[in-house]
Amino acid sequence: QVQLVESGGGSVQAGGSLRLSCVASGYTYCTHIMAWYRQAPGIGKEREFVASIDMGGGTIYADSVKGRFTIDQDNVKTTVYLQMNSLKPEDTAMYYCNIDIEKILGHCDGGTYWGQGTQVTVGS
């Protein structure tokens, strides 16, 4: 069973930094992409993409975090990090780790999985 466990959230003042971690387990070495999403508080707020990284180290960022956030992963590709610098109040959200596993017949079941989330609060 695939599991994702996030950590590193907290409360900081604007301009501060946080580093989120997500440890993935329960799957064999399958091709995958790991990503961070966030959902701001309030009615009607949808979960939005923040950043992703593939197994080759290729990264994609939302325009709102480019130049401030950096996504990276460990050498065995089971832990992904999100370094968040120059935080703004509008970065306040629940941050979710996501993994999208490629299905390979006889080897990898494939699928998309989510962590439980870690709260980030940025004061003005």
Side-chain angles (χ1 to χ4, degrees):
Q1 181 178 356
V2 177
Q3 288 189 319
L4 300 172
V5 180
E6 303 103 329
S7 62
S11 296
V12 296
Q13 292 299 306
S17 298
L18 285 172
R19 183 171 174 83
L20 306 183
S21 300
C22 172
V23 179
S25 63
Y27 62 100
T28 55
Y29 192 75
C30 301
T31 301
H32 62 266
I33 295 174
M34 295 188 76
W36 289 95
Y37 286 74
R38 67 186 181 185
Q39 187 167 15
I43 298 173
K45 295 289 187 180
E46 296 185 353
R47 193 172 296 187
E48 65 175 9
F49 171 81
V50 176
S52 67
I53 186 166
D54 62 34
M55 295 181 72
T59 58
I60 300 174
Y61 294 93
D63 288 343
S64 60
V65 306
K66 281 181 181 177
R68 300 187 299 121
F69 291 10
T70 302
I71 188 170
D72 61 353
Q73 60 192 348
D74 66 349
N75 289 337
V76 294
K77 311 296 191 290
T78 59
T79 302
V80 66
Y81 306 95
L82 186 68
Q83 178 66 42
M84 305 185 295
N85 298 327
S86 301
L87 282 162
K88 304 175 181 180
E90 51 263 45
D91 294 318
T92 295
M94 184 72 78
Y95 283 71
Y96 296 91
C97 182
N98 167 278
I99 185 169
D100 187 31
I101 302 171
E102 180 181 354
K103 182 175 182 177
I104 300 176
L105 289 177
H107 182 61
C108 299
D109 291 336
T112 298
Y113 302 88
W114 295 90
Q116 292 299 307
T118 185
Q119 178 67 40
V120 172
T121 302
V122 184
S124 57

